[in-house]
Amino acid sequence: MKARLQEFWQSRSKTERRILGVVLALLLLAAYAGLLVAAGKGRQELSASLLSLHGEAARLERDAAEIESLRQRPPLKASNTELRALAQAQAGATGLSRTLQRAEAPSANQLQVTFAATPFADWLIWLKGMQAQQLRLESCRLEALATPGLVSVTANLSRSAQQ
């Protein structure tokens, strides 16, 4: 290969060698310029990306600090509200007061509820609200109704006596 290249070069006249040298130099210069332009674009893109990553890292650090401060806080105390009133208030807040048939509190820490023809998704929202008040679902009977999405619910909830 080297011999063929040397033979090719020697077979050219001095003027052709100069022209080939200049063309080769121009090609190398153009390739170098192309690399510089591509590197410049890449640098700008990386710089913009770096700024957004710095912002995201700062947000994550703030979130981590907030999580740590929340972990240091004492746990929330359950509401001292009477459970029957709490169930009715939560039903009103989630739009289920019309379907709440029964809410009884056999003791200060137990609650029995019955809902008729209740949208299942809304009942789950009601239950989540009750869990936020430190009530735990002990038992539940769900019965699917003929109308899609509606259920009949009988549930027993309780919270620990330490509250």
Side-chain angles (χ1 to χ4, degrees):
M1 172 88 176
K2 188 176 178 184
R4 287 188 4 185
L5 186 60
Q6 201 170 27
E7 181 185 327
F8 172 78
W9 189 254
Q10 294 299 326
S11 68
R12 303 288 161 225
S13 69
K14 204 172 194 177
T15 308
E16 285 179 329
R17 283 189 226 159
R18 278 191 201 137
I19 292 173
L20 285 174
V22 169
V23 169
L24 182 61
L26 289 175
L27 284 175
L28 288 174
L29 187 62
Y32 184 70
L35 286 174
L36 286 178
V37 169
K41 279 185 178 179
R43 185 175 179 165
Q44 287 175 346
E45 291 173 4
L46 287 175
S47 178
S49 174
L50 185 62
L51 288 175
S52 69
L53 288 175
H54 277 301
E56 189 174 332
R59 184 186 57 81
L60 287 174
E61 286 175 5
R62 283 191 311 271
D63 289 351
E66 182 179 356
I67 288 170
E68 189 58 36
S69 72
L70 289 174
R71 285 183 178 159
Q72 300 298 325
R73 290 184 183 174
L76 294 174
K77 294 285 184 189
S79 169
N80 289 331
T81 308
E82 195 260 332
L83 292 181
R84 185 173 183 273
L86 185 63
Q88 290 170 339
Q90 186 65 28
T94 55
L96 296 178
S97 13
R98 58 180 165 45
T99 63
L100 179 61
Q101 287 187 329
R102 180 176 70 99
E104 294 178 7
S107 73
N109 295 314
Q110 291 183 323
L111 176 67
Q112 297 172 344
V113 292
T114 302
F115 289 91
T118 300
F120 182 67
D122 292 345
W123 182 77
L124 287 176
I125 293 169
W126 176 87
L127 181 61
K128 187 175 181 180
M130 297 302 284
Q131 289 172 336
Q133 294 295 323
Q134 309 299 320
L135 277 111
R136 186 178 75 222
L137 183 64
E138 291 289 328
S139 65
C140 179
R141 191 179 124 256
L142 292 169
E143 184 179 325
L145 302 179
T147 306
L150 293 183
V151 293
S152 174
V153 181
T154 302
N156 293 314
L157 296 103
S158 68
R159 66 176 160 200
S160 67
Q162 300 169 4
Q163 303 293 327

